[in-house]
Amino acid sequence: MKQLKFYTFLIPFILLIVSCGSYQTKNNTTIKEQPVVIANEALQYEIIIIDPGFTTFLNTQARSKEYYSESYLKNKNRLYVNVWNNRVRYPQRFNSNIYENAIDYQANIDYGLDVNYKLYWYFKFAEQKYKMKLSY
């Protein structure tokens, strides 16, 4: 009788595990992530970020556009861009697979909130993904 109780408990448990496992494989589809475009058409300025994971990071980790002021984002971006561009100039010291291109960010140009927001959060994403620090 004890064996029957054990099997009675074990069978639903095994069915639960098997059904959960089969459910996960049905939903295990790969979704191709689209690049993030940072653009200001009036200034003819565009950055295309194709770094896998950034779209998800932007949608799940980034705070809303209204959280920081545009001037805050602009000041942070100016600092981050300086560090980034310095690392681009020294590929023998820094990973050239990460720091491939210099960013032409000029402090006297008003790029708008959208450009500053996405650029700021890309730097935050890069710091987390590549385990680096871009601020002094």
Side-chain angles (χ1 to χ4, degrees):
M1 195 67 156
K2 288 182 182 179
Q3 289 180 344
L4 182 59
K5 287 181 183 177
F6 176 73
Y7 289 120
T8 306
F9 171 73
L10 188 60
I11 291 171
F13 184 70
I14 291 172
L15 290 174
L16 180 66
I17 292 173
V18 170
S19 65
C20 290
S22 63
Y23 179 76
Q24 289 175 347
T25 57
K26 286 181 183 177
N27 286 340
N28 192 11
T29 58
T30 56
I31 299 171
K32 185 171 166 102
E33 189 171 298
Q34 297 298 315
V36 173
V37 177
I38 303 172
N40 184 324
E41 291 181 24
L43 298 173
Q44 297 180 347
Y45 186 88
E46 183 176 82
I47 298 173
I48 300 173
I49 299 174
I50 54 173
D51 204 338
F54 179 60
T55 302
T56 303
F57 180 85
L58 191 61
N59 292 330
T60 60
Q61 302 290 321
R63 297 185 178 187
S64 69
K65 282 186 186 179
E66 296 78 28
Y67 188 82
Y68 298 113
S69 69
E70 187 174 346
S71 62
Y72 174 85
L73 295 172
K74 187 175 182 175
N75 289 331
K76 293 300 271 185
N77 285 339
R78 189 173 46 229
L79 295 171
Y80 289 149
V81 166
N82 284 334
V83 173
W84 185 274
N85 288 342
N86 283 333
R87 293 181 183 185
V88 168
R89 288 184 199 105
Y90 298 102
Q92 64 278 13
R93 284 188 62 204
F94 299 101
N95 187 343
S96 61
N97 291 325
I98 297 172
Y99 306 101
E100 292 181 31
N101 300 309
I103 300 170
D104 183 19
Y105 185 88
Q106 299 172 22
N108 60 339
I109 295 177
D110 180 16
Y111 294 103
L113 179 61
D114 193 53
V115 169
N116 281 300
Y117 172 79
K118 288 179 182 175
L119 184 59
Y120 171 79
W121 282 106
Y122 177 72
F123 288 131
K124 290 299 188 187
F125 167 75
E127 283 183 325
Q128 182 179 345
K129 181 176 181 179
Y130 300 113
K131 296 174 181 42
M132 63 178 163
K133 190 86 170 141
L134 289 171
S135 58
Y136 295 109

